[in-house]
Amino acid sequence: MRYDANLSILFTELPLRRRAEAARAAGFTAVEYWWPFDTAAPGDREVDEFVRSVADAGVTLAGLNFFADDLAAGHRGIVSWIGREKELADSVDIAVGIAGQLGCRTFNALYGNRIDGQEPAAQDEHALSTLDSAAAAAAGIGARLAIEPLSGADRYPLRTAADALAVLDKLGRDNVTLLFDLYHLGTNGDDLDAVIERHTPRIGHVQVADVPGRQEPGTGTLDITGYLAKLASAGYDGYVGLEYRPSGRTEDSFGWLEGQR
């Protein structure tokens, strides 16, 4: 497996722009981020500073989220949020530009919560339109989108792998894939073995954290190393993003990798 450090949740004791260097010092050659800016359309200087922080660290950018609004406030993306398509399009353009410089070929497009006053069916139709546009932009650099089921967000409609795969089926684009997050799917009680057995070819990215607690593997009950072995046997050869909250110092949370970085 190829592992990358999610620097929106790891090394948070450091400013965001210094985390890529810390990840490289810890032995990682690849990193990923949630949307690394406060707005959907940051200025050129802010974008350039972010690109330099990754490039200067000598790591690969393995994954990048599109703008998802305020995660701390409970927002979970704007793909299905009618009326915010310009913000999404702006962030897609910026993300594609960043990826073109740093080699990233996977974008996480968080679907978004159900919104008061918007019909679920209308939101879903809107999501298909915005995903189609984003997928076309990603295809221009040979990249793909990953659609992620989430836990802990009651108004987020994609809870299982089947929920996300239904969106993929409706969209019908080869470069739109499933984001297989073991923590979220495990928390929601999805059948991880069945997903691996039946749908590994449709998985575009993998993320891990243990259940419960969302900490490093070995702190909970999920057989993460076992599931990763099954994924590898089923043909998955992409990155595995470490998207967990360390139980202690970030540097002390990597023992389970046993030299695999």
Side-chain angles (χ1 to χ4, degrees), residues 14-15 23-24 41 52 56 66 69 74 105 116 120 130 147 153-154 159 170 177 201 218 237 248 261:
L14 297 173
R24 187 69 186 91
R52 282 199 303 273
D56 289 350
F66 296 143
D69 207 348
R105 293 299 179 263
D116 290 339
T130 57
I147 308 300
D154 293 342
R159 309 278 296 173
K170 292 176 183 176
T177 63
D237 61 357
R261 280 167 277 174

Side-chain angles (χ1 to χ4, degrees), residues 127-215:
L128 292 178
S129 174
T130 57
L131 286 171
D132 187 68
S133 296
I141 61 167
R144 61 194 169 197
L145 309 187
I147 308 300
E148 182 177 20
L150 296 181
S151 63
D154 293 342
R155 306 192 76 176
Y156 191 88
L158 308 184
R159 309 278 296 173
T160 67
D163 293 334
L165 290 168
V167 175
L168 270 59
D169 290 339
K170 292 176 183 176
L171 195 59
R173 275 193 172 269
D174 291 341
N175 70 325
V176 183
T177 63
L178 171 66
L179 199 160
F180 186 59
D181 186 308
L182 277 72
Y183 168 75
H184 288 304
L185 294 179
T187 298
N188 290 342
D190 212 347
D191 188 337
L192 302 183
D193 284 315
V195 175
I196 293 170
E197 180 180 351
R198 300 170 189 168
H199 302 298
T200 292
R202 306 185 75 180
I203 295 174
H205 192 56
V206 173
Q207 292 174 332
V208 297
D210 217 333
V211 176
R214 201 175 184 175
Q215 295 177 332

Side-chain angles (χ1 to χ4, degrees), residues 10 13 32-33 84 106 116 134 138 160 173 180 199 211 239:
L10 296 175
E13 62 274 17
E32 62 178 49
Y33 295 81
R84 303 193 68 177
T106 301
D116 290 339
T160 67
R173 275 193 172 269
F180 186 59
H199 302 298
V211 176
Y239 281 101

